[in-house]
Amino acid sequence: MGKYIREIIQILSLTLLIFVFPNLVLAAPTKLPEIIQQKITRMSLEEKVGQLFIVGFPQKSVTPELEKFISTYRPGSFLLFKRNIQSIEQVSQLNTALYRASFKHSRLPPLIAIDQEGGSVSRLPISPAPPNALSIGQTQSPLIAEELGFQTGLFLREAGFNMNLAPVLDVADPFSGSFIGVRSFGADPHVVSDLGVAYSKGLLRARVIPTAKHFPGTGNLHADPHVGIVQNLSSFEALKTQDLKPYEAYSSLGKNVAVMLSHLIYPALDDTREPASFSKKISTGLLRDDLKYQGLVVTDDLQMQGSRQFLRPEAAALKALQAGADVVMLTWSFKDQGKAFEFVKAAIKRGDLSEDDLNQKLHRILTVKAFANLYRRDPQLPSLRQGVLLTSPKYAELESTVLDLNLKTNLLPRELPAKEVAPSRKPAATSKVCVLSPSSTFIRSFLNSSPRVTASKHLSGSLSKEEVLFWMKENKCPRSLVTITGVKTAALVKSLPRATKQRLVVVNLGAPRLLKGQRDYLRTLQLYFNHQESGKKIALHLEEILDSSAKSYVLK
């Protein structure tokens, strides 16, 4: 019976493949590589060149201008930003129109990508707000990471996307001030490997292509390649033992994945000091030959300053393709994009990019497209749209679990005591707690869940230290709970007298670097993201949080 079921699935899969690649006939070969090869041999040069590009555009719909651009250059992939998204309904219609335009003009489905990392890099209106990578990293749970990847993939599919420019596999210390910040799963390469691979597996379960970035790794660099040329001066040994570890694991996922190249310069990996996007030693020698990576290689935006200060976009596109990239990214300017298409096409005609190399790239691109576009959403599944938002009970429960585990991580002691010390005073004797926060959502959530008598105040950056101290004195606050979300509120809390700090529990809902010191305060909690129920969770664990001298923890 199993044999017959497998045969039926194979027949159905072939039927879908032929639907995806509609100019093939039923007499075509039955193996995917052969089907793809047949397709490549029938493509014109213009169609082949178009598949090498992922482009952005300013429109929120397929306007006549955008339609003309697609018909002229036949781009194989699209990348959408906040500027393209007005609502779930609108972006779904836009993506449907992009699919139709691609089929019409290139007879191939497009990859439609988005940056949906979580945290501040979230393009879609998802509720509750998606946690950032660092908060997922604090859970150290591959199961949670994979399920978050799967739920994210379902949301993307609901809106018509089949590619996510995530996960971030950069290994970065959250307290280093790295420009990656909370977008990294953390400073441990093994944790980043486990969670990054798990998250990618979740996306793949939803038939969404994951895109690991930024190869071969940004480390703890402060400088941002969006605004200038940046070098990573790490030694080869440091890169091998830290930054490259997650990509070794990611390479085991097979062909239906993507890696995004960094624009950073790595002297230890390429002594010519070419940015990774243009370095054959890095994108081909290291990634494909050494790490045995089989998926797509995509550049970061060639209009970023880290690329543009080296080469014009059209020259950068060709150099990246010659070095080993399969798909080059240009996210704005039809004029620049058009120049790049024509420049690459002319180079192929001259033989500057060999036909064999071109066809290998196309084979990888069409392999990924076949995987991403075989999927059809089951109409029996409930819609993930709730008004203007995307949500689901499973996702909401999962996101709440991430917050719970982050809080529990904070409540573990930083170090084991040399000996048991009896607490001098039970925190239960404190009947009142004051809460100050720049987030009205946090205050409301806390007040609705705390049984204590509570005074509350909105903590704006314009408040002075004297005003805060006067308010605490006026409200007779024996203990105060303060949340920080940005530079101004963090500076205000740090300016308070030492005696006041010793009565404060500080909850960081923002970047780790906002709160580096911990000794001055009664307790510090690093949550890193402003969950809508953060206040409630803090209130439920308040006795444990206030009991700064408690030693009744079990570490297993």
Side-chain angles (χ1 to χ4, degrees), residues 121-261:
V121 186
S122 297
R123 313 298 189 203
L124 293 176
I126 296 173
S127 179
N132 56 50
L134 185 57
S135 62
I136 300 170
Q138 283 210 129
T139 72
Q140 298 194 25
S141 171
L143 291 176
I144 286 177
E146 180 172 346
E147 191 59 28
L148 271 169
F150 179 60
Q151 294 297 327
T152 300
L154 293 180
F155 289 141
L156 295 185
R157 277 290 180 178
E158 183 87 14
F161 295 95
N162 56 12
M163 187 177 197
N164 191 11
L165 302 190
V168 171
L169 292 190
D170 295 312
V171 180
D173 183 341
F175 295 98
S176 68
S178 161
F179 80 92
I180 289 296
V182 297
R183 297 168 62 195
S184 166
F185 290 111
D188 186 329
H190 300 289
V191 171
V192 175
S193 296
D194 291 346
L195 300 191
V197 168
Y199 184 89
S200 300
K201 287 179 177 178
L203 287 172
L204 289 169
R205 278 169 53 200
R207 292 275 179 163
V208 170
I209 305 301
T211 307
K213 58 188 184 185
H214 308 81
F215 184 82
T218 63
N220 294 323
L221 294 175
H222 293 211
D224 187 342
H226 285 84
V227 296
I229 296 171
V230 182
Q231 294 191 71
N232 185 331
L233 298 178
S234 298
S235 68
F236 176 77
E237 190 59 31
L239 290 166
K240 183 179 179 181
T241 57
Q242 289 280 119
D243 302 80
L244 293 175
K245 282 291 181 186
Y247 292 98
E248 289 180 24
Y250 186 79
S251 294
S252 68
L253 293 177
K255 298 179 179 180
N256 297 315
V257 296
V259 159
M260 180 186 290
L261 296 170

Side-chain angles (χ1 to χ4, degrees), residues 244-411:
L244 293 175
K245 282 291 181 186
Y247 292 98
E248 289 180 24
Y250 186 79
S251 294
S252 68
L253 293 177
K255 298 179 179 180
N256 297 315
V257 296
V259 159
M260 180 186 290
L261 296 170
S262 164
H263 289 320
L264 270 60
I265 297 168
Y266 299 84
L269 300 178
D270 186 347
D271 56 11
T272 67
R273 295 179 182 265
E274 297 273 17
S277 298
F278 310 141
S279 170
K280 191 165 187 174
K281 289 183 178 180
I282 292 174
S283 60
T284 298
L286 178 59
L287 182 56
R288 291 216 183 274
D289 298 340
D290 294 349
L291 299 184
K292 308 303 179 187
Y293 174 73
Q294 302 177 67
L296 282 184
V297 175
V298 184
T299 70
D300 208 339
D301 188 0
L302 296 177
Q303 291 163 307
M304 287 166 51
Q305 290 304 311
S307 168
R308 197 172 189 121
Q309 288 184 22
F310 269 89
L311 292 168
R312 301 185 315 276
E314 64 270 25
L318 176 60
K319 191 167 182 62
L321 291 167
Q322 290 171 327
D326 299 309
V327 177
V328 292
M329 181 189 298
L330 293 106
T331 63
W332 56 276
S333 175
F334 287 155
K335 183 179 179 181
D336 278 358
Q337 291 163 347
K339 279 184 182 179
F341 279 91
E342 296 297 342
F343 194 85
V344 170
K345 184 171 73 172
I348 293 171
K349 286 181 177 179
R350 292 192 307 269
D352 292 345
L353 185 66
S354 72
E355 184 177 356
D356 182 59
D357 194 8
L358 173 62
N359 289 342
Q360 286 183 36
K361 297 178 191 299
L362 291 168
H363 204 284
R364 287 189 286 266
I365 292 167
L366 298 193
T367 297
V368 165
K369 286 192 171 188
F371 174 84
N373 287 279
L374 279 176
Y375 179 83
R376 295 291 181 271
R377 185 180 179 279
D378 186 347
Q380 302 301 317
L381 291 175
S383 172
L384 301 177
R385 301 184 196 184
Q386 186 173 321
V388 297
L389 299 171
L390 290 169
T391 191
S392 73
K394 283 186 178 179
Y395 166 74
E397 181 181 356
L398 183 66
E399 206 254 10
S400 182
T401 300
V402 172
L403 178 62
D404 283 335
L405 291 176
N406 269 258
L407 185 53
K408 288 178 181 177
T409 298
N410 276 271
L411 293 179

Side-chain angles (χ1 to χ4, degrees), residues 14 17 21 24 27-42 363 367:
L14 175 60
L17 276 170
F21 301 106
L24 295 180
T30 57
K31 293 182 178 179
L32 178 58
E34 296 176 16
I35 292 174
I36 289 173
Q37 191 55 46
Q38 286 276 0
K39 175 63 180 176
I40 291 172
T41 59
R42 300 181 185 188
H363 204 284
T367 297

Side-chain angles (χ1 to χ4, degrees), residues 497-511:
R498 182 179 178 84
T500 302
K501 289 179 179 178
Q502 291 174 341
R503 294 184 281 112
L504 290 185
V505 174
V506 184
V507 183
N508 185 12
L509 302 177

